[in-house]
Amino acid sequence: MLCINRKIRLLLKNKSKFDSLRRLLTILIFILVAVVYGHAQEGRNPAQDQPGTSVKLYPNPATEYVTFDLQKNYQRGLTIVVYNFLGKKMYESQNVNEKTTLTLTDFNRGIYVYHVTGPSGKVLDTGKFQVSR
């Protein structure tokens, strides 16, 4: 009987240590997830380190054409590339003007993603638009 009491006391003593360890692990996991999520969000905005770069795209949703209006910090040598939602390149234009109009006759109904890249090949802005017919 004495042996059983000793085992019960030992289990209760270790249980309190286990509970505090479990709480500590929960807090550490929460902090780790917050840090990883924060770093993942930083990489999502390619124009983050180039303030003022912006593209206005209209009309959205589009039916016949879409206009890319490169607002701030327009520079020579910009390239616009448009991909369908499966990743197939649908359009590419190099050395674009401040306002570039894309005719959508070869585009099916759906969502398309565009990238505006600088002369060095770095993505300055990205976005999406919808074609509805």
Side-chain angles (χ1 to χ4, degrees):
M1 187 72 161
L2 184 60
C3 185
I4 293 175
N5 284 338
R6 191 179 300 165
K7 286 182 181 181
I8 290 173
R9 270 189 265 137
L10 185 62
L11 284 174
L12 290 175
K13 185 177 177 183
N14 288 335
K15 182 182 181 289
S16 65
K17 288 180 183 178
F18 179 74
D19 284 342
S20 61
L21 180 64
R22 190 176 61 191
R23 288 184 190 128
L24 180 63
L25 284 175
T26 304
I27 292 169
L28 289 175
I29 289 172
F30 177 76
I31 291 171
L32 179 67
V33 168
V35 168
V36 168
Y37 182 75
H39 286 297
Q41 291 298 319
E42 286 175 6
R44 291 189 70 178
N45 189 0
Q48 185 176 15
D49 51 350
Q50 294 221 353
T53 304
S54 74
V55 175
K56 279 193 175 179
L57 180 111
Y58 56 88
N60 193 10
T63 55
E64 298 173 13
Y65 67 91
V66 67
T67 301
F68 296 91
D69 190 0
L70 307 169
Q71 295 284 313
K72 301 176 184 172
N73 294 345
Y74 170 74
Q75 56 187 346
R76 291 186 172 270
L78 294 180
T79 301
I80 296 176
V81 183
V82 177
Y83 300 93
N84 67 10
F85 219 65
L86 297 175
K88 179 182 175 189
K89 186 188 294 187
M90 299 296 293
Y91 172 81
E92 181 174 5
S93 179
Q94 298 176 346
N95 298 321
V96 295
N97 298 323
E98 281 185 78
K99 283 193 178 186
T100 302
T101 301
L102 170 62
T103 307
L104 301 174
T105 54
D106 296 335
F107 287 67
N108 292 325
R109 181 179 177 176
I111 296 177
Y112 294 85
V113 177
Y114 69 87
H115 295 294
V116 177
T117 57
S120 64
K122 182 177 180 182
V123 176
L124 301 175
D125 201 357
T126 186
K128 60 185 175 181
F129 65 93
Q130 181 178 355
V131 175
S132 61
R133 298 189 195 269

